[in-house]
Amino acid sequence: MTVYDLGAIAPLLVLAGGACVVLLADLVFRADERVWAGLGAAFAVAAAVTALVLGPGDDGFGSEIRRDGASVFFAIVIGASTAAALLLAIGYVAPARLPAAEVTALTLFSASGGLLLASAGDLLVAFIGLELLSIPLYALTGLLHGARHADESSLKYFLLGAAASAVFAYGIALIYASTDSIAIGSLASATSPIGLAGIAFLLAGLAFKAALVPFHFWAPDAYVSAPTPATAFMAVVAKVGAFAALLRIGGAVTAPGVAGLDWRASLAVLAAITLVLANLAALGQSSLKRLLAYSSIAHAGYICVAVAAGVVASGAIAFYLVVYAALTVGAFGVITLLSNDDPTLDDLHGLARRRPLVVIALGVLLLGLAGLPPTAGFLAKVYVFEAAIGARLAWLVILAVLMSVVSAAYYLRVLFACLAEGEGEPARGPSIGGGVVVLAALAIIVVGIVPGPLLDAVQSVRF
């Protein structure tokens, strides 16, 4: 192992090592949720800082793990999102009677898998990252025993996830049979029918993890049943890892132009049906958590619009993922401030009177999710749509704009429910989770008004 190898996996080692430290320390010391969640958040921030300080460099392990601008950028996003999700767990884990150390360790292990998936230069490494990302999420989904159908949702997620992993692994086998290689770069020469079938299997496996329709069936139930901080984490980190891998694979597939048209057409169709089904399904939801679950699926569709445009849209996708991460963590963070883990819209009545600052922050986040100015959500959609129009996908952009109008209806329903009079679900007092929500809303406004620094940062994201 060389110094370049260590540099490539340094952020991953911080996350996985942090998870081991938390588990071992829990055997020796007795501490409350604030200690374990705070320690986990510190390791997540340390991983992001490590990636930032080391920066891009030579790839590790014979280019099996990439250390380019994209891997550094996504390591920072994953680290920051993981830290925010763990901070949401403070004040939530103890009332829910969850094992704080185990929740923290599982979250860190899963984050390390997402980072490995985003940095993979080899299909087998991507598969390992996919499994390391997924297996802790299966456990987290069933951890909240008081939730309705938690065990059933966890089992459903596990079985469907195992099937998706098997499909991905079979795709790797077909690629190897076609090209005698499992390097992602070898996909450029996978032009035989066997190779093209393998690429289709890889797309299906990653579409499942990104919760694209029709591979989304696990997401609503898993999001509702999982502890809310874990829901916020899986809604962000799983998508970041999956879309990073999709871009790497897409860059190799479209490079020779042989299968590029089929790849882009497949992604465009996935984006279209995801946008329509998810937004229409969200309209009829009364559960806030399930509504946000379908919202997350819909945003995967918006991201997929840019992915269909190809690697030329890498910067727009990176910008969207950062904004989406802040919006999603903040929106799910509001649920952690309520005493009911699965509130309905009626439970939000009177919240504006009881917690006005939280409702103001939630309003900003909902406007951002709807893609309305002056939030960063508006700019994120503009950049994605601009990239898609440049790739001659105007029909898909028109559909996405129409679905954005539809989405405004259910986001405004949530806001109006908060403003309605009545005695809804009691809200917890001021907490670190409330601070995360407010900071997320502030970040969305600041980036919406001054997007320059983030736009400069995403220019380094190239696949």
Side-chain angles (χ1 to χ4, degrees), residues 163-182:
S165 297
V167 167
F168 191 88
Y170 192 59
I172 296 175
L174 292 177
I175 294 298
Y176 183 75
S178 174
T179 66
D180 286 333
S181 173
I182 55 173

Side-chain angles (χ1 to χ4, degrees), residues 212-284:
L212 292 169
V213 177
F215 307 98
H216 71 292
F217 293 109
W218 62 274
D221 289 340
Y223 283 21
V224 171
S225 299
T228 303
T231 302
F233 171 81
M234 74 170 74
V236 173
V237 173
K239 281 185 173 54
V240 170
F243 278 111
L246 275 173
L247 281 169
R248 290 197 186 278
I249 290 174
V253 170
T254 58
V258 176
L261 182 60
D262 293 336
W263 174 264
R264 291 177 54 197
S266 299
L267 287 168
V269 170
L270 287 176
I273 60 176
T274 299
L275 289 170
V276 173
L277 192 147
N279 281 299
L280 293 181
L283 283 174

